Amino acid sequence: MNVLFVEDEVKIANFVRAGLKEQGFVVDYCDNGDDGYFQATHNDYDVIVLDIMVPGKDGLAILKHLRKSGHNVPVILLTARNELDDRLQGLNLGADDYIAKPFFVEELVARIHAVIRRSVGDRQNLLSVGSLKLDRITRQVTCNNHAIELTTREFNLLEYLMRSPGQVFTRTQILEHVWGYDFNPNTNVVDVCIQRIRRKIDPLDQTVWIESIRGVGYRFRKPEL
């Protein structure tokens, strides 16, 4: 799942980013509201974790503009202020949840899962293509009803491809989404990770679900009707 995290306090930002990544989230991070608003309006996220008191465009202003422009991505407000008026203002502007500092990352993760379930419904959290089923909440993958053990990176890559069967993704797109924008673009980690996923699926289903597109990248095969 893709998270946009907007927070200007470095220690909190590093702590939360590390915790979310350990839980398998792909995290884009901004330390100010202007960059956060740009990312929120130019990329697709499953949830935005947004500190109210950030430099530039503040969190409430970002939320207000997102909702006015029709962006319905779930938003969790994060702030040191715990006054009732602040909570009500955020919720009235369209926030899906509110969490006050200090907090445990485990609580934030639980709230993220909750708002995503409410926003998209359980059906969209279960990706099913052919013999493969991937649960985005429990992070379980099965093939022909047999469980497949995937690493966090393998799961995120498979989810990324399964969300758009038939669409071709370049290696650069996969790197940016699964590994992050600051990863070395000349690495072969995408190919290695694809090979590992295939080796885990092949004994359970001989169908080549992840197809190589020569000179371009990869796509997840559309099932035959």
Side-chain angles (χ1 to χ4, degrees):
M1 294 185 185
N2 304 318
V3 178
L4 174 61
F5 180 39
V6 185
E7 166 64 65
D8 64 314
E9 295 186 46
V10 177
K11 289 184 178 180
I12 293 177
N14 291 339
F15 176 72
V16 172
R17 289 167 68 192
L20 292 178
K21 288 181 178 180
E22 285 181 1
Q23 294 295 320
F25 293 97
V26 177
V27 183
D28 285 350
Y29 167 67
C30 297
D31 63 2
N32 66 83
D34 295 331
D35 290 345
Y37 182 70
F38 178 86
Q39 292 294 331
T41 54
H42 286 77
N43 296 291
D44 292 327
Y45 295 102
D46 295 295
V47 65
I48 298 175
V49 179
L50 178 61
D51 185 19
I52 289 180
M53 299 296 291
V54 289
K57 192 186 297 290
D58 67 47
L60 292 178
I62 293 173
L63 176 61
K64 182 177 180 179
H65 283 89
L66 286 175
R67 295 302 186 240
K68 279 192 172 182
S69 59
H71 288 82
N72 294 318
V73 57
V75 173
I76 298 175
L77 292 179
L78 179 66
T79 181
R81 303 188 309 195
N82 198 24
E83 296 296 328
L84 177 60
D85 288 345
D86 295 327
R87 297 200 303 271
L88 291 177
Q89 184 179 6
L91 294 171
N92 287 334
L93 285 173
D96 296 86
D97 205 347
Y98 186 108
I99 185 169
K101 303 174 187 176
F103 59 90
F104 293 102
V105 173
E106 292 83 358
E107 180 185 2
L108 177 59
V109 169
R111 289 174 181 263
I112 288 174
H113 285 314
V115 298
I116 290 176
R117 280 196 297 268
R118 291 199 300 266
S119 66
V120 302
D122 291 336
R123 179 176 296 181
Q124 292 187 34
N125 284 325
L126 180 64
L127 302 180
S128 180
V129 183
S131 62
L132 283 170
K133 291 181 173 57
L134 181 148
D135 192 313
R136 302 175 66 204
I137 297 297
T138 65
R139 300 185 67 81
Q140 294 178 336
V141 177
T142 62
C143 181
N144 284 324
N145 296 319
H146 293 279
I148 299 176
E149 295 295 330
L150 298 179
T151 67
T152 296
R153 202 79 76 179
E154 291 166 356
F155 181 94
N156 291 343
L157 197 161
L158 182 61
E159 177 195 3
Y160 184 50
L161 297 178
M162 284 186 68
R163 288 172 68 175
S164 305
Q167 180 175 341
V168 178
F169 294 96
T170 66
R171 288 174 176 81
T172 299
Q173 287 176 310
I174 295 172
L175 272 174
E176 290 177 349
H177 181 88
V178 179
W179 276 266
Y181 288 94
D182 55 351
F183 210 85
N184 181 2
N186 296 317
T187 182
N188 69 337
V189 294
V190 172
D191 306 289
V192 172
C193 193
I194 291 287
Q195 291 171 8
R196 291 202 305 262
I197 296 172
R198 284 172 170 167
R199 284 199 295 267
K200 294 179 179 182
I201 294 175
D202 285 349
L204 303 173
D205 188 339
Q206 295 300 308
T207 304
V208 180
W209 286 111
I210 302 177
E211 300 177 323
S212 301
I213 308 302
R214 187 173 182 178
V216 182
Y218 296 95
R219 72 180 172 198
F220 197 87
R221 179 178 180 176
K222 278 188 174 182
E224 296 179 0
L225 300 178

